[in-house]
Amino acid sequence: MKAAYILPIGAILVTNTLFLGAAKYQKRAPQLVAPVPDVPLHEQTIEILKRSESVIPPNLDAHPVVTVYNREAIVPPQCYTQTEGTHNPCYVCHQSSIPGRENRMEDFDLQIDYSFSDLGTLNHWKNLFEDRTARVASISDEKILDYVNSENYSELAGRLQEAGFEGWIPDLKNLHEGADAFDENGFAKDGSDWVAFNYKPFPSTFWPTNGSTDDVMIRLPDRFRTTEDGTYSIDVYKANLAILEANMKGKPEIACLPVDEEAIGKDLDGNGALGTANRIVEVSSFVGSGQWDKIDTHLYPEGTEFLHTVRYLGLGTNDEIQPSPRIKEVRYMKKWKSYAKGLYARKYQLEAFEKEVGNLPGYHNLGEWGLDNGNGWALHSFIEDKQGRLRANTFEENLFCMGCHNSIGSTVDKTFSFARKVDGPAGWGYIDLRGMPDAPNEGEIAGEILTYLERVGGGSEFRNNDEMFERWFNEDGSVNREKVMNAKDVYELITPSRERALALNKAYKTIVEDQDYIYGRDPNLTPPQNVYDAINNEETPTLPNDRTYTWNIMLDWSKAAQSGSTLSLNESTTEKANP
């Protein structure tokens, strides 16, 4: 996958800046460690992390920028894939803008051309090149199962509070229990108003077969959960969640969870009476206290929050793959500032100018609130320390998140999963790949996974997933289309065997032990062969036009609703190739 050169507009690297109205500033002085002469600062940071048992690890007494190992950490490892003029995993990230959306990155050309900065031409993701075979072999199956089945989430909030953490503190009780923390409609049982939704994982880094399970929850601000007089109403909340979904997907109406129209005082389904609505036919305005918020399609309202956990490959009673109790990362993002689409367009234009003059990317450091992506979102995460306890991310560990959630052309308001939610009521609930059909993307014909396998030539960007190759490819390297299309569901297509799951869990555990996330988080067992250690923008082989593709991140669930994932063998996945 070819790299975008990314620069959020107007962003500079500063410390101890706060957002959300700037009414509050980080007051607790950070714990600082004096740097050691003649030792790279990023290596000193790693050693501090190995020794620290604090939920807020100490920082070097230096400006965050100078401690960074990879100033181009926003360019992910997958961007160094060898495409060999044929294999194109780049298309799911790098796309031209779609009319009506805020995303004006216009990076379709990165399917064809390498456009790395001088710094970015070197592949800094050193963990890609580490052979973990011996270390993985030294970890027994029993040990890794005990590890992934022990939870590390429930203590996090208390530890952060005790440490005086100033940023967002996880507030969803029993999240480590996965589906058991939510009711059948996805609402958190603890009353925190987080709502889980069922979505199709983004190809292919987030396919379980490539190393992790995950889940995503959304929470709308108070005004979208209350009636006009400020009284909490689950019916108002359900209606507004559906209205938001319709507008994020550009739909004129949408099916919804049952809503008591009398509680809202509005005829949502347009039948002329106030009863129980199962469909909302007018989605141009929210209801309740949020009705005065301006709606613009494909944009979240100010104050929207997302909670995302990345987990190990858990094994159920019959070795079925499921989210593990242990959490690799707790990721949080909040839209603290809304912008009009016209301003986004100007931001992207200015970003292109900055790229042209060769400026390196920079972001506002919000201290314990994470980083501001320059487009209204603040992002922060917690990750495992050497002992497996969750701790706050470092500055550079947060920097890793900026590329995907800021400057690639395929996202919708800088996010991935909500646009890929199963439509309507069926999509409200904890993620479950069982029974989920391989729905095609909007504008496509064949299933998304089948299409990806054919365009990429493997089950991962690096084409190093041997199990996926054995399952879904012929010996000549072509995809066994009939077998793929006859797969029962998405679960069957993209979850690993027990043996692979255990091996991937062990591989990631070695990264936890090393605390060197800044070198990469991909749990590869051996170094992938199809990856460059360096790129030459002018000479490295690129893809021809007929191996590039237009693509829409959203899914057409209606094409798969009646017939599951099976599609006609006569339907081609390559019709969208550009001439």
Side-chain angles (χ1 to χ4, degrees), residues 33 62 74 81 131 137 235 248 282 364 459 488:
V33 176
I74 64 315
T81 295
D131 189 333
D235 291 289
M248 293 307 297
E282 176 53 63
H364 286 291
K488 182 178 180 180

Side-chain angles (χ1 to χ4, degrees), residues 356-410:
E356 189 66 25
V357 298
N359 289 336
L360 285 172
Y363 299 87
H364 286 291
N365 181 10
L366 306 174
E368 291 174 358
W369 283 98
L371 294 180
D372 176 358
N373 75 348
N375 285 291
W377 291 94
L379 293 86
H380 187 52
S381 300
F382 305 92
I383 200 165
E384 287 182 282
D385 68 12
K386 187 174 182 178
Q387 291 73 38
R389 305 175 82 186
L390 290 167
R391 61 160 174 82
N393 271 16
T394 66
F395 175 83
E396 185 168 359
E397 287 165 351
N398 278 329
L399 185 61
F400 171 80
C401 304
M402 289 292 102
C404 291
H405 288 289
N406 190 60
S407 291
I408 60 173
S410 66

Side-chain angles (χ1 to χ4, degrees), residues 38-112:
D38 303 322
V39 178
L41 295 181
H42 69 274
E43 293 182 5
Q44 295 185 49
T45 297
I46 291 174
E47 289 305 312
I48 290 172
L49 295 174
K50 287 181 179 180
R51 296 192 304 268
S52 174
E53 296 183 1
S54 173
V55 69
I56 309 173
N59 297 317
L60 284 173
D61 189 6
H63 194 286
V65 179
V66 302
T67 68
V68 170
Y69 158 69
N70 181 13
R71 282 287 301 276
E72 287 281 36
I74 64 315
V75 180
Q78 289 74 19
C79 285
Y80 295 90
T81 295
Q82 295 180 11
T83 62
E84 298 178 338
T86 300
H87 309 288
N88 183 358
C90 317
Y91 74 94
V92 297
C93 288
H94 303 306
Q95 282 296 322
S96 299
S97 62
I98 295 176
R101 298 189 190 173
E102 50 73 41
N103 196 327
R104 298 286 175 177
M105 186 65 193
E106 300 286 2
D107 61 351
F108 180 92
D109 62 301
L110 294 176
Q111 292 186 44
I112 305 172

Side-chain angles (χ1 to χ4, degrees), residues 171-393:
D171 57 350
L172 201 167
K173 187 177 180 181
N174 297 326
L175 179 56
H176 59 280
E177 295 180 356
D180 288 341
F182 305 88
D183 67 18
E184 67 277 7
N185 294 322
F187 290 83
K189 293 178 181 178
D190 67 352
S192 61
D193 285 326
W194 285 106
V195 188
F197 54 90
N198 194 15
Y199 59 95
K200 195 176 184 185
F202 189 79
S204 68
T205 297
F206 281 99
W207 288 352
T209 185
N210 289 321
S212 298
T213 56
D214 69 336
D215 54 24
V216 182
M217 287 62 65
I218 188 172
R219 182 166 63 186
L220 300 184
D222 287 344
R223 64 187 183 278
F224 296 100
R225 300 180 249 154
T226 57
T227 59
E228 291 185 55
D229 64 4
T231 303
Y232 179 86
S233 170
I234 189 65
D235 291 289
V236 167
Y237 198 14
K238 288 191 290 186
N240 282 330
L241 285 167
I243 292 169
L244 174 64
E245 179 182 355
N247 280 280
M248 293 307 297
K249 295 179 176 180
K251 296 180 179 294
E253 60 180 82
I254 194 165
C256 63
L257 294 168
V259 174
D260 181 356
E261 294 175 315
E262 289 189 2
I264 297 175
K266 187 174 182 180
D267 179 14
L268 299 175
D269 57 14
N271 67 355
L274 297 182
T276 299
N278 294 291
R279 190 166 195 85
I280 302 177
V281 298
E282 176 53 63
V283 297
S284 61
S285 64
F286 292 110
V287 300
S289 297
Q291 64 184 290
W292 293 281
D293 273 56
K294 179 182 181 297
I295 286 185
D296 202 348
T297 55
H298 310 297
L299 288 174
Y300 298 101
E302 190 170 296
T304 300
E305 299 169 276
F306 281 100
L307 176 56
H308 175 210
T309 73
V310 182
R311 308 188 184 217
Y312 289 86
L313 298 159
L315 295 175
T317 304
N318 298 313
D319 285 341
E320 67 272 17
I321 301 299
Q322 60 188 24
S324 65
R326 175 167 294 276
I327 296 176
K328 292 180 178 180
E329 298 181 55
V330 176
R331 298 175 174 179
Y332 173 80
M333 60 189 298
K334 182 169 185 174
K335 190 170 186 180
W336 68 273
K337 178 66 175 175
S338 294
Y339 295 107
K341 288 178 181 174
L343 184 54
Y344 279 121
R346 179 58 174 164
K347 282 174 171 284
Y348 283 118
Q349 183 183 50
L350 293 173
E351 180 173 342
F353 295 160
E354 295 284 357
K355 171 186 173 181
E356 189 66 25
V357 298
N359 289 336
L360 285 172
Y363 299 87
H364 286 291
N365 181 10
L366 306 174
E368 291 174 358
W369 283 98
L371 294 180
D372 176 358
N373 75 348
N375 285 291
W377 291 94
L379 293 86
H380 187 52
S381 300
F382 305 92
I383 200 165
E384 287 182 282
D385 68 12
K386 187 174 182 178
Q387 291 73 38
R389 305 175 82 186
L390 290 167
R391 61 160 174 82
N393 271 16

Side-chain angles (χ1 to χ4, degrees), residues 13 17 117 144 157 166 270 293 295 420 460 464 474 476 547:
L13 287 160
T17 306
S117 67
I144 197 64
E166 300 277 342
D293 273 56
I295 286 185
R420 300 171 58 79
S460 70
N464 65 332
N474 299 311
D476 63 1
R547 292 298 298 173

